[in-house]
Amino acid sequence: DAGVIQSPRHEVTEMGQEVTLRCKPISGHDYLFWYRQTMMRGLELLIYFNNNVPIDDSGMPEDRFSAKMPNASFSTLKIQPSEPRDSAVYFCASSLVAGGYYEQYFGPGTRLTVT
Amino acid sequence: GDSVTQMEGPVTLSEEAFLTINCTYTATGYPSLFWYVQYPGEGLQLLLKATKADDKGSNKGFEATYRKETTSFHLEKGSVQVSDSAVYFCALRGSNYKLTFGKGTLLTVNP
């Protein structure tokens, strides 16, 4: 299995620009999670989906952030407009709710730098 | 709400030393507990897990026991290697499917 795939791996953009991060979960998984990791705040859950439907977006910092999952094999996290404080590593994770373990498999992350 | 508290690092050890990273949690009900490891420049990988009280999770020489009476899930390894240098995260899954993570502990093992 290819694991969770994220693109791009690195993104450098200027303040005010739109940024789109992409994620392909593991085939057959029914949950997808977006996290943000910074030195100051650690790992934060932004939003998660079940069967392509957003379940909890209470972690999305503000209206500049939006996430979609148009189908079971693709999700995007968009920031518009971007700000320097959005600089972080963004992780996507997926899981299959079976067996009672619900372990999450993480992608390699996208390192976003907003200048 | 759910929360995880783990010892703050960084932790620096010599090769073959004994490792303990403390983790305690607060949750309602009966959470599942996890340790994840993050190597430099990579995403998090599941290291071990335990789903009920007194379960012991183990992998790659690491162990952790789910202690409900002390709400703890401490990570241990008898003899660390340089290749174990990484950030370790304790996490719990409560009544929903979200993971709550601790802040992470940076471990550096010197030869």
Side-chain angles (χ1 to χ4, degrees), chain B residues 2-54:
Chain B
D2 296 343
S3 67
V4 174
T5 303
Q6 63 182 100
M7 65 184 285
E8 296 198 13
V11 174
T12 303
L13 296 173
S14 298
E15 208 165 22
E16 300 183 2
F18 184 85
L19 169 71
T20 299
I21 301 177
N22 291 336
C23 172
T24 57
Y25 67 90
T26 302
T28 55
Y30 303 94
S32 296
L33 301 174
F34 304 85
W35 277 100
Y36 279 82
V37 58
Q38 184 179 28
Y39 298 102
E42 298 183 11
L44 279 71
Q45 303 175 24
L46 179 65
L47 180 60
L48 53 83
K49 61 193 176 191
T51 59
K52 61 184 187 297
D54 300 324

Side-chain angles (χ1 to χ4, degrees), chain A residues 35-50:
Chain A
Y35 292 89
R36 178 172 68 177
Q37 184 180 39
T38 62
M39 290 294 292
M40 291 295 294
R41 303 173 68 94
L43 266 169
E44 303 173 276
L45 176 64
L46 301 177
I47 185 171
Y48 73 98
F49 296 81
N50 174 219

Side-chain angles (χ1 to χ4, degrees), chain A residues 31 37 56 102-104, chain B residues 36 38 49 93 97-98:
Chain A
Y31 277 77
Q37 184 180 39
D56 184 350
Y102 312 112
E103 53 193 83
Q104 293 183 18
Chain B
Y36 279 82
Q38 184 179 28
K49 61 193 176 191
R93 186 194 67 79
Y97 303 116
K98 296 162 57 172

